[in-house]
Amino acid sequence: MFRFDPYAPEIDADPFPAYRRLRDEFPCFWTEEAGMWVLSRYDDVLNALVTWRTYSSAKGNLVDEFPGRAGATLGSTDPPRHDRLRALIQSAMTKRALDHIAEPARASVRRHLAAIEGKESFDFVNEIGANVTVDLLFYLFALPKENAAEVRDNAVLMVQTDPLTRQKSEAHLAAFHWMADYAGKLVEERKRNPGDDLLSNFITAEIDGEKLLDREVQLTVTTLIMAGIESLSGFFGMFALNLADFPDSRRALVANPEMIPDAIEESLRFNTSAQRFKRTLTEDVELHGQTMKAGDAVMLAYGAANRDERAFSDPDTYDIERRPKRHLGFGGGVHACLGSMLARLATHITFEEILAKLPDFSRRDETLDWVPSSNFRSPRALHLVTG
Ligand code: HEM
């Protein structure tokens, strides 16, 4: 009997054979382990993203949602409330986010690359990727550096689920509460001493005389720290892994750095860090001979949709010259990733520097240890051998 258990360590390690069976044999599948339907074909996932009235985010978009988060963040609200929040947050983000990050990001990568200079091997995730994303986020929010390690540790913990109980453990929930408290204190502090940073911009952002509520700022910052650190550093890890596994592609990028954006898009399709998100049905839906009931939860398996041969030719091939690039690595529709431009720019700068300094690297270990998560997929560590 076919099972799809998004908590199983073998799914973290390699979800793609199961995704293929889902798409081909069980395109509308009830997973007992997660207690929700799974959609895995590109057209079905895209349709769900577009028909947000039926596939609602208001009960949360994380496969394992945090208590109290649904309804207060961008990812866990539907229009019109979502659109109001998004417009406010976007108005705060555009002011500074993109213009100002390039140089600090480049300086951060160079600093962390200098620290591994001369080493025969290094852990890309923990010595480069995580450090650069933390530096970037701390710069954007103008956060005090002394908390960096604690913030990162809690961001990594909060995205995890216990593979045995298939739930968030006490430690995972405690990490979320720690982050929410941390964000709450920052909001209070920044209200007293506003500056020219993203957090201050959220607090002061106004559209038609309306501002974000304190709780909205607090949970938005909590989510952005999680997304900023975990989605981005997770993706850095996946991109580095692809470049280690496909040396011809890496060599092409070393020779032609202007192709790095193409390779980023292909990695977002091929094995992105943001694999699965959730929606809840507001009405019954018939699909592929199944009846999904109003109130049922539905998993949108972006990672599976991105390998659908109905949408992509030769989908299991990593091809940095692939056209067109209509992947769902950043989701789509009204909830399409708000940080996508930032993520693209940060990845571009980071890997431009890395490839210039380390044109040749390979994986030290054949098997990797994966962060246990029902939403995200990324290695806990990635040891690369240089030269
Ligand atoms: C490569 C790194 C990243 C990936 C792969 C990624 C992926 C995603 C995906 C798939 C979604 C859609 C979620 C859903 O359908 O419910 C999303 C939403 C979102 N992401 Fe990202 N993300 C990344 C980086 C970032 C960064 C750096 C930020 C901000 C600092 C960010 C902020 C957000 C926000 C706020 C949303 C919710 C948007 C909404 O619901 O309107 N992301 N992201």
Side-chain angles (χ1 to χ4, degrees), residues 212-233:
L212 290 168
L213 306 173
D214 281 0
R215 176 139 183 87
E216 289 170 340
V217 178
Q218 180 193 6
L219 285 176
T220 298
V221 173
T222 308
T223 307
L224 288 183
I225 293 177
M226 178 177 89
I229 295 183
E230 222 3 61
S231 310
L232 188 55
S233 80

Side-chain angles (χ1 to χ4, degrees), residues 61 74-75 82 86 224 227 231 235 279 302 329-331 334-335 337 339:
N61 67 332
L74 271 184
H82 164 270
R86 186 161 172 127
L224 288 183
S231 310
F235 179 66
R279 299 293 187 265
Y302 296 143
F330 284 128
V334 292
H335 290 287
C337 178

